[in-house]
Amino acid sequence: MCIVMMRLNCSPMWSVVSLLTLLLLPLWEMGCSGLSFNSVPLPPVGTYQRSCEGGAHHRQRRSWVWNQFFVLEEYTGDEPLYVGKLHSDVDKGEGQVKYVLNGQGATSIFTIDENTGDIHATKRLDREEQAYYTLRAQARNRENNLPVEPESEFVIKVQDINDNEPKFLNGPYSARVPEMSPVGTSVVTVVATDADDPTYGNSARVIYSILEGQPYFSVEPKTGVVKTALPNMDREARDQYLLVIQAKDMVGQMGGLSGTTSVMVTLTDVNDNPPHFSRKSYQFSMSESLPVASVVAKIKTLDSDVGPNAEMEYRIVDGDGLGLFRITPDRDTQEGLITLQKGLDFETKSSYTLRVEVSNRNIDLRFLSLGPFSDTATVRLIVENVDEPPVFSLPLSKMLISEAAKVGTTIGTVSAHDPDSTNSPIRYSIDRNTDLERFFNIDATTGVISTAKPLDREVNAIHNVTIFAMESLHPLQVGKCIILITVTDINDNAPVFAIEYETYLCESARPGQVIETISAMDRDEPQSGHRFFFSLTAEAAGNLNFTLRDNKDNTASVLTMRGGFQRHDQTMYRLPVLIMDGGSPALSSTNTLSIRVCDCDPDGAPQSCGSEASMLSAGLSTGALIAILACILTLLVLVLLIVTMRRRKKEPLILDEERDVRENIVRYDDEGGGEEDTEAFDMVALRNLKLVRESGGKTRRDVTPEVPSLFLSSRPPPDNGIFRDFIWDRLKEADVDASAPPYDSLQTYAFEGSGSAAESLSSLDSLSTDSEQNYDYLSDWGPRFKKLADLYGHSDDGNLFAS
């Protein structure tokens, strides 16, 4: 059996091959008894294999297989495109064999006539989408659908045509090249791609050319490298060029397809232009009151370059202000900034002349031949006079004064002058915001500072005072300085205990035991440091209970001289300690150390102290004490509730007819008739003036207030005739005066009387009076009541300490 695959092609070569195939096919069929598909690899295009078995008298099995077909892409005809033909020698033309096609594109793209074996392409093919298709062909028996030939594989290759133009996938391009570059300097490489088959014909062979951008740039035809074509291209004249590059396939021949792209070429700057001043001379004015570091002038410099190539350096090369001025470049504008380095004084010098130079910071050695990259100019600076405030000789002064200085003592002197040529007189004053308590005075003319009040270093050791200096002719011109006045120390404070000690003594204390270590403090601050001396006072030096040991380190230890202290014998001991400082003259003070006797645990910690604690521990337990306190608290709450309820009880809205309306007294913070007026709320004098006059000053019982006065004493009240006469005279004046209020309104006449029936409540003379009050319990209230206990308390033993 034999299968023949054929096709005709428009190409001359394939036309020849197809004709030879048609001519040789009958001869081959005559010489072979059968042809079949071969399972060996398919031979290349245009080849065949022939094999004959046996001798010349036997027909051998042969095969002839084409393994590749060609079909032209982009076919646009109305009829399906004929691809080739399949034929088996088993097919005798009787219609018993049918041909089947499988594989890529079978039935969808490629169809086969099952009767004749003709293959057609039903769709337009694009080689750029798929270059070849692999299919399988087979001959089957039409009746039983059994294969009469083995399945064979073949390829249909899509033949390329020039249907794709070159494309610049990375376009458009932008490139940068330095100005003044030599001819042939590479700028950028453009690349165009063609989707056609590069192995077949010239469809994918691209040639580059430049359409726009000549004569400045050129392009290599084969590589696409863009280069400069002119020398000395100046960025300052033109800094951008737009190029149009074309890529054409078919090696640029007629009929080829083309594509274009644009290239934006920017010339970058090089330092090929020297800087220069816009003028050769400048003049500026400046105020003499300008502070240091102020900018007094800005000089504009021209340079056609940009970026680092336009960065400037300035310097003052000559002039009379070399040490007074400084010139630096502005970082943004590259202007020359002349700044002030020292203060100006119109009266000293009114103008300055400078010679300044500018040059590029970054110089390109290739362009030094173009000329010097620097320039010079002259700058004249005029100083303008202003009215300046007075200036102190020292803006900050330090002075010392002893806290023992008397009022009016001179501390120091300040001095200021008018810097202007007018030389106005100066008047001095103190800024009282810095001396609120007015400790100091200053002489307005001489500037002498003196004390106005006594100073105390312990209250304020340093005074920060501001002094004003004002021009007499121009009061608005004011200068100021600061004076630090340090108050030096004198020994004017006696030492005292450093803290308020709470000293406990255990009943189990042994002789020689340290029960307290005391230290001292002194508000003074001697230069050599504090040195304190501790001792007992003369009256306490001989006691047999305690002694004092000076530790020579500004501390002292209190020791017991005996044992056997008992709370029921004495609960509190007071030990007077004499403390003396090391000043000159030395000062001393006596401080009392209170020592309480306590019951202590085995570790020496106090448990209970004082006689009250001893009594409570002996009589009542803790639970009983708590119960008693709870009962007392409950009773107090009940009493408060009863009092509150009574106070909230409302008065009747309708007044009693028998009640005299004139008894309603309105109180206007009046103190009454003085301490002598023990019946200040007795309205007899106002209600029954006629009755008072008839009775000769005797008080009627029926008009006496029923509420007793809180200030009544047991002795008979004094005669209130003076007060009654005073009120009567005032009432007569009110009756005559038409503008006075009604007589029954209470008026205040600021009359206090001449004496007090309640006597004085002051305690100033309590020490001189004999009082039977016992204040010994104050000593058991702790250290906070120590002072009161010292004043009013009396020891059971009759002494402050046991002897």
Side-chain angles (χ1 to χ4, degrees), residues 754-775:
S754 59
S756 174
E759 298 184 348
S760 176
L761 298 178
S762 174
S763 61
L764 296 178
D765 59 346
S766 60
L767 293 178
S768 61
T769 60
D770 296 330
S771 175
E772 297 179 358
Q773 180 68 35
N774 186 4
Y775 296 97

Side-chain angles (χ1 to χ4, degrees), residues 174-179 187 217 235 238-242 263-269:
S174 62
R176 301 167 67 87
V177 64
E179 64 173 329
V187 179
F217 298 93
R235 184 199 65 83
R238 181 179 177 183
D239 61 346
Q240 284 189 335
Y241 298 85
L242 180 63
V263 180
M264 179 61 71
V265 180
T266 302
L267 298 183
T268 59
D269 185 59

Side-chain angles (χ1 to χ4, degrees), residues 507-545:
E507 291 180 322
S508 59
R510 299 182 304 273
Q513 180 177 339
V514 176
I515 62 173
E516 188 68 85
T517 299
I518 59 176
S519 60
M521 61 165 290
D522 194 334
R523 296 177 63 189
D524 296 321
E525 291 292 338
Q527 296 181 354
S528 58
H530 287 293
R531 178 67 181 95
F532 299 121
F533 304 93
F534 300 88
S535 64
L536 295 178
T537 59
E539 59 272 16
N543 79 92
L544 301 178
N545 296 320

Side-chain angles (χ1 to χ4, degrees), residues 103-114:
Q104 294 179 337
T107 69
S108 61
I109 298 177
F110 302 102
T111 61
I112 186 169
D113 191 325
E114 63 178 13

Side-chain angles (χ1 to χ4, degrees), residues 392-400 409-416 428 441-451 467-468 481-485:
F392 283 89
S393 56
L394 292 175
L396 177 64
S397 300
K398 296 182 180 180
M399 300 180 183
L400 299 176
T409 301
T410 300
I411 303 174
T413 304
V414 294
S415 176
Y428 302 95
N441 287 329
I442 187 170
D443 189 284
T445 304
T446 62
V448 175
I449 301 173
S450 59
T451 59
I467 304 297
F468 291 142
C481 74
I482 297 175
I483 298 178
L484 297 179
I485 301 175

Side-chain angles (χ1 to χ4, degrees), residues 156-177:
I156 298 178
K157 186 174 182 181
V158 183
Q159 187 176 354
D160 183 52
I161 65 172
N162 189 19
D163 61 340
N164 290 279
E165 74 277 3
K167 295 182 179 180
F168 294 90
L169 301 180
N170 298 325
Y173 295 85
S174 62
R176 301 167 67 87
V177 64

